[in-house]
Amino acid sequence: MPAPTPPATDWWKSAVVYQIYPRSFADSDGDGIGDLPGVLQHLDHLSWLGIDVVWLSPVYRSPQDDHGYDISDYRDVDPTFGTLADLDRLIAALHARGIRLLMDLVVNHTSDEHAWFEESRASRENPRADWYIWRDPRPGAVGGEPGAEPNNWGSFFSGSAWEWEPARGQYYLHLFSRKQPDLDWEQPAVREAVFSMMSWWLDRGVDGFRMDVVNFLSKDPALPDGELLATGYGDGTPHFRHGPRLHEHLSEMQRVVFAPRTGSYLTVGEMPMVTPEEALAFTDAETGQLSMVFQFEHVDLDSEGDKWTPRETTVADLRHSWGRWQDAMGERGWNSLYWENHDQPRVVSRFGDVATCWRESATALATMLHLHRGTPYVFQGQELGMTNVPFDDIADFRDIESLHHYAAAVERGAEPAQVLAALRSKSRDNARTPVQWSGGPTAGFTAGEPWIAVNPNTSWLNAEAQRDDPGSVLAYYRELIALRHRDDVVVHGAFALLPGHRDLYAFSRTTPAGRLGVYVNLSSNVIDLDLDPADAGAEVVLANYPAGDRSTATLAPWEARVLRSGPHP
C-alpha cells in the first residue's frame, strides 16, 4: 500500500492534522476500550470535516503502563487495539479518502518488557547490554538504598529517575515511569535498530512520524546532578533537553531513513522546553532535519514553576508567546499550531468561558489558532468543543502522571482537596475521556463499560447533535478548515500582530494576492473593534456570530471575525 504521491515537498503546510488517541476514540467490540476497527467506523467524519492527516497515538504492543507510550514491540499492534491487518486496512481506507497517516514514534525509551531491555538487564555481557543508560551506584554507596542513585534527577512521573536492577548490579535511567527505561542513543546499534523499524513502517504505507520527546535523545554523558527542586529531586533537564549530539542523531535519521525514498514525509518533533531559535534550526527549510516541532511555551503560560501550580494568563501573555514564535520561524522555519492533545486539558475549559460562552469561546480559540502561520492540529473531540471533566475523586483518574503526582504531593503534606483541584484543571485524563459521538451514558463510544468515565455533558454536547446544526462548533471547524484549503494567504501569508484593546487578539496574514485581518475577542466582555485601516471595507469571510448580531464598532464576547481584502481565490 504505497503512500499517495504528494503534490509538493511541503504539502503539509496546507494540511490540517487530526490526532486520534485510539483508546478513547471509538470501541467496536464492547470491551470499553477504543480500537482500530472503531477508528475505521468514523473515517467519514474526518473526511467530511476536511482532515488531511491523521496522527495516531501508539497502537504498538505495550503493557499499557503509560497507555501505549511504553512499547514492548515496535513491529506489531497490541491486541487491545486490534491486529496488524486492521492497521493495514486503516492505512488503505485513509489513503482512499486522500488522508495520510502519521504514526507516533516513541524511541527515547521503551517498555521494560521489550525484548531489548530484557536482554540488557540480564547481564553486563549480553550483546544488548549497553542499549540502555546504566550506571553504578555513587562511589561508596550500596545499590538500591536511598541516596545511592548515580545522580539526583527526578522523573517526570514523580520520584527518582533511576531504578535499581539487582540482576545487573546497576541502575537504569527512566525519565518517565520506571517501566520506561531510556535507550542509549550513543550506541550505533540502537540507532540502526530504530532506523530499520522506521523504514519498515514507511514500507507499509505510513506517511511520517510524530516523534515523542525527540529532543531528549542525546544526554550529557557525564549525567551531572541537577538543581534541587521542591520535590527533593534534581532538575536534569539542562543535561538532556537539547543534548550535544541531537542534531547529529536527527541528521543521521534523515539521511538513513528518509533521503533514499521518493516523495515527502511529515516529521514532527515533540520538544519540551525548546526555544524559538532552536526550533528554527530544526525546521529550517534548507538545513533543518524536521518538518516542524511541538513547542510548549504557550501551554505553560497558565502554570507557575510546575504544571500543577496555576497562574493567571492574560491576552498579552498569549500575544507575546505566539507572536515571538511566529516572528522567529519567519519564512525559513515552520510552526505547529495546537491547543490540545493527549497530554493537554481541553482548551475551552482552560482559556475559554465554559459557563456563559461555551460555543463562542470554543470557536474564537479555534479561529485564533488555525489562522496563524503553521500547520494546525485538532485533537479528537476538540472539533465538538469538548470540555474538562468534573472528576469527583482520585479513583476517577487513570493517568499514571496524575496518580503518581497525587500520591507524592499528599505524602509531602499537601491537602488532598487542593491536589484534586489541580488535577481537575490539568490532568491528562481531561483529554482522554471518550469522544462524545452521541448522548446516552456511554456517548456512543462503546456498548460496554468505558475504561474511563464519559463526561456527563455528553447528553447535549455530542457529534450527533451538532452534525446538522449550521451554528454548531463542529460546523464552524469545517468552515475554518475549508478556508485554509481554498485561500493560499492562510498558508503562505506573512504574519503581523495588530494593536488594539487589551482583550483583543488581532493579526494580519498578507501575500501580494491579498490580506486577511483576524480579530478575536478573548474575553467575556464587549470590547471596541480596533480595526486596522487596511481592513476597512474588507469582506467578512468567516465569523462565529451571525451577520445580524455583528457591530461595526465592537466585538461581542468571544467574537471572532475574519476579513478578506484583495483578489479572492
Side-chain angles (χ1 to χ4, degrees), residues 172-193:
Y172 65 85
L173 178 69
H174 59 91
L175 295 180
F176 297 92
S177 163
R178 65 178 180 82
K179 290 184 66 61
Q180 292 172 296
D182 282 48
L183 286 161
D184 188 351
W185 272 70
E186 297 303 302
Q187 306 303 322
V190 169
R191 302 195 301 274
E192 181 181 353

Side-chain angles (χ1 to χ4, degrees), residues 16-45:
V16 176
V17 183
Y18 187 99
Q19 184 190 358
I20 290 178
Y21 187 74
R23 173 175 287 270
S24 301
F25 189 70
D27 170 29
S28 70
D29 59 10
D31 68 353
I33 300 174
D35 48 40
L36 292 174
V39 175
L40 278 159
Q41 293 171 2
H42 290 279
L43 294 190
D44 287 343
H45 172 82

Side-chain angles (χ1 to χ4, degrees), residues 108-239:
N108 173 72
H109 47 266
T110 70
S111 166
D112 67 343
E113 297 181 34
H114 196 293
W116 297 347
F117 187 73
E118 290 178 342
E119 293 180 37
S120 186
R121 80 194 313 176
S123 77
R124 303 191 193 193
E125 286 72 43
N126 190 281
R128 293 193 171 109
D130 57 1
W131 279 37
Y132 294 81
I133 299 176
W134 296 96
R135 292 293 187 273
D136 293 327
R138 288 183 185 264
V142 177
E145 295 187 356
E149 295 86 356
N151 67 25
N152 67 356
W153 294 0
S155 160
F156 286 105
F157 288 173
S158 304
S160 172
W162 295 95
E163 183 76 7
W164 176 247
E165 177 48 63
R168 253 187 86 124
Q170 285 186 306
Y171 287 91
Y172 65 85
L173 178 69
H174 59 91
L175 295 180
F176 297 92
S177 163
R178 65 178 180 82
K179 290 184 66 61
Q180 292 172 296
D182 282 48
L183 286 161
D184 188 351
W185 272 70
E186 297 303 302
Q187 306 303 322
V190 169
R191 302 195 301 274
E192 181 181 353
V194 170
F195 299 158
S196 174
M197 174 268 294
M198 294 173 68
S199 297
W200 185 83
W201 280 110
L202 295 179
D203 289 342
R204 296 194 84 89
V206 169
D207 302 293
F209 299 98
R210 175 268 187 189
M211 306 176 188
D212 191 67
V213 292
V214 73
N215 60 325
F216 292 0
L217 299 185
S218 175
K219 279 86 168 172
D220 179 346
L223 302 179
D225 280 347
E227 181 180 349
L228 280 179
L229 302 173
T231 60
Y233 292 97
D235 177 12
T237 57
H239 310 295

Side-chain angles (χ1 to χ4, degrees), residues 483-499:
L483 178 61
R484 161 173 290 269
H485 288 157
R486 73 171 179 263
D487 197 337
D488 276 353
V489 72
V490 179
V491 180
H492 301 295
F495 174 91
L497 282 170
L498 301 175

